[in-house]
Amino acid sequence: MSKKAIIFGDSYSTFENYVPNGYSIYYSGKGRPETDVTNVSETWWYQVIEAENMELVMNNSWSGSTIGYRGYDNCDCSQSSSFIFRLRSLVAQGFFAENRIDTVFVFGGTNDSWANAPLGTAQYDHWEEKDLYFVLPAICCFLHDLKETLPGADIYCLINTDMKPEISKGLQEACCRYGISSISFESIHKNDGHPTIQGMKDIKNTVLKFIRGT
């Protein structure tokens, strides 16, 4: 029986017609000047799903999205694109009650870094909504809630290169705290901050190596 997977991501994990309606995308069949990725089969996640014979139940990825509530230009994302809101929305809709999920891929934090959202300090429990406008408490809250929602799933948190070190460290420490696997990358080939076809292969190869323990 194939494993059923969900992705929580940002632009790196988007592709036109493969994310929920209304979500912003970066990658599409039309391509764009910054990247040579023009086919969904070239994305890191499509290659991982295919290689592991998984079924992708949902790709919940939104281009430009932050884990926490503070986005670009000080935008309030608490009720829209934030990872936290998107997870809470699925829970409220009964998505996880209706769908078996065995594997979760989380690939975020990049926009929290690029948007210069306030970092705050790591906070592992007892969050108030005001705390989630700070990156480090938001990371902890999201990963905690994800683990609580799917305690039996294999959760892999992918940690990008070229992020603020405080965010990379915050993701690693939160993963350790909540029993989530973290996958850090040594290098990803990029153009304008986004993976190229080779960059997608770099991500795929590192993820598969970790999953397979090779």
Side-chain angles (χ1 to χ4, degrees), residues 5-19:
I6 188 171
I7 302 165
F8 286 96
D10 51 29
S11 59
Y12 281 39
S13 306
T14 62
F15 202 89
E16 185 179 22
N17 298 326
Y18 284 84
V19 298

Side-chain angles (χ1 to χ4, degrees), residues 35-70:
T35 180
D36 52 358
V37 176
T38 58
N39 193 295
V40 69
S41 65
E42 296 165 338
T43 62
W44 72 266
W45 53 268
Y46 189 98
Q47 295 177 68
V48 169
I49 294 293
E50 186 175 62
E52 289 297 288
N53 193 32
M54 295 179 182
E55 176 188 339
L56 182 60
V57 180
M58 174 180 283
N59 183 351
N60 197 286
S61 298
W62 188 314
S63 182
S65 63
T66 50
I67 294 176
Y69 286 171
R70 188 62 66 198

